[in-house]
Amino acid sequence: MLREAVTLLFHGKSEADATRWVTSKRMLTPRGNEFRREVLHRLLTNPRLAGLDENGEPLEGWDERVLEPEVFRRLQKLFEERSKQRGKSRDAYEYLATGGCAICDECTVPMVGSRAHAEAPPSYKCDGCGRTRINAEKLEDFLAENVLAELLKPEARERLEKLERDIEAEIARLKKHIESADERFAGIGELYGRGLMVKAAFVAAQKASKEDLRASKARLKYLEQMTDLPIGDVHDLIAWWRTAPFASKRGLVLLEIEHVRVGRAEGSQAPEKRVLLDWRQPAPERS
């Protein structure tokens, strides 16, 4: 059915048309929900659908494909062309708490930047259940207010410095782990070559190692946003926040807050009624 949906797109149908067709065939997402346009788009832009990794290289041991690689590449070119044709129908918006910081309090899946329609204001929407949404500006004003209030407390700077040291230590560990990936892959290959590992176990071990490497690189990129914050000598934090670069604001939020848990709106859209903040805690000092 996904192949037929792709054929519809190649024949000039829109993603909304393809989504309606998939839904009419009673095809469900892996979570058992009806397809939405953005869910179908995300699925059709996943290179694993064609047995490829993020760099477009074939995945070892990936025997079954939904789309052939050349069809997948043709589809991505179509998406790119349609995106250019639509142009910038809305202003770009930089989201402060995406990337795993803001999560849905109902299903714990990270929230993504979204707009309900072309003219709607920016918002955060759950990328899992899809039922939780909150206005981006209201949420980010709430975050800024709480983060700055926390930093104005006594000994807040000392706590921030400890958090930065923890993050830097984890970054160093991750870099060593990533650098040793080739050695781990070679070890798996050696075991298989010596006949000490069956093919199924070899393929599974390679797959797990590649997933671990991908997750480690993503985690490293996420953590590196939290270091080198230029606020050590800043006395007027409010004034600093108003003029600080986006990267510095985001880094400060990510350093202070581990998760922003957003609940569903039940009678009130106010963030203070539906948002819980999980503050990041420094690691206990070793004696």
Side-chain angles (χ1 to χ4, degrees):
M1 281 191 277
L2 286 173
R3 293 188 188 110
E4 291 189 38
V6 169
T7 300
L8 290 174
L9 294 172
F10 285 149
H11 287 171
K13 296 294 185 181
S14 69
E15 289 180 63
D17 292 330
T19 304
R20 282 192 290 270
W21 182 85
V22 167
T23 302
S24 73
K25 299 299 181 182
R26 298 184 179 178
M27 182 178 176
L28 301 176
T29 70
R31 294 179 177 274
N33 300 317
E34 286 191 353
F35 271 92
R36 302 189 307 279
R37 188 203 62 78
E38 60 268 28
V39 175
L40 181 63
H41 180 84
R42 188 165 61 248
L43 180 60
L44 295 179
T45 54
N46 186 340
R48 289 174 178 260
L49 207 65
L52 304 173
D53 63 18
E54 293 178 355
N55 298 316
E57 298 297 325
L59 289 164
E60 295 182 27
W62 201 272
D63 297 326
E64 296 185 8
R65 295 191 293 264
V66 175
L67 300 177
E68 292 302 314
E70 59 271 19
V71 175
F72 178 78
R73 295 186 183 100
R74 181 184 164 202
L75 179 62
Q76 305 319 301
K77 186 177 180 180
L78 175 66
F79 285 147
E80 184 178 348
E81 290 172 352
R82 289 186 175 182
S83 178
K84 288 179 180 178
Q85 289 171 0
R86 286 193 297 269
K88 293 186 177 180
S89 60
R90 61 189 72 176
D91 295 330
Y93 186 85
E94 292 183 300
Y95 290 88
L96 202 63
T98 50
C101 180
I103 62 174
C104 173
D105 197 38
E106 185 166 329
C107 68
T108 72
V109 171
M111 303 187 77
V112 295
S114 173
R115 296 182 191 241
H117 52 81
E119 304 303 322
S123 62
Y124 289 82
K125 187 185 75 170
C126 175
D127 203 27
C129 68
R131 293 190 290 268
T132 303
R133 184 187 289 271
I134 189 169
N135 179 279
E137 292 185 354
K138 289 182 179 180
L139 176 62
E140 291 170 5
D141 286 346
F142 176 75
L143 287 178
E145 180 181 335
N146 280 272
V147 167
L148 295 177
E150 190 70 18
L151 283 173
L152 291 172
K153 293 180 179 179
E155 301 181 355
R157 298 303 175 89
E158 181 181 348
R159 175 178 169 275
L160 198 65
E161 289 173 1
K162 289 180 180 178
L163 285 170
E164 283 195 300
R165 289 197 294 269
D166 291 344
I167 297 299
E168 288 167 357
E170 187 176 354
I171 286 174
R173 288 194 297 270
L174 278 172
K175 285 182 175 178
K176 287 183 179 179
H177 183 68
I178 291 169
E179 289 170 1
S180 64
D182 289 342
E183 184 179 338
R184 293 194 297 278
F185 283 118
I188 295 171
E190 182 182 354
L191 289 174
Y192 180 62
R194 291 167 57 190
L196 300 176
M197 183 181 287
V198 298
K199 183 176 180 180
F202 169 69
V203 170
Q206 277 207 322
K207 181 179 178 182
S209 296
K210 288 180 179 179
E211 179 60 27
D212 171 71
L213 181 59
R214 184 201 64 77
S216 296
K217 288 180 177 180
R219 176 70 175 167
L220 177 62
K221 184 178 179 180
Y222 182 73
L223 293 175
E224 285 178 334
Q225 299 176 72
M226 307 180 199
T227 57
D228 299 326
L229 294 174
I231 63 170
D233 297 324
V234 175
H235 298 290
D236 189 347
L237 280 169
I238 306 299
W240 174 84
W241 181 268
R242 288 172 180 162
T243 59
F246 172 80
S248 297
K249 293 181 181 180
R250 179 173 168 83
L252 182 58
V253 168
L254 296 181
L255 183 61
E256 281 277 46
I257 297 176
E258 188 164 9
H259 285 128
V260 179
R261 293 189 282 131
V262 182
R264 292 178 64 185
E266 295 181 358
S268 174
Q269 294 286 346
E272 55 268 24
K273 298 289 187 179
R274 50 187 297 218
V275 176
L276 293 174
L277 304 179
D278 294 335
W279 295 91
R280 199 180 296 276
Q281 299 299 324
E285 296 185 4
R286 296 180 180 178
S287 57

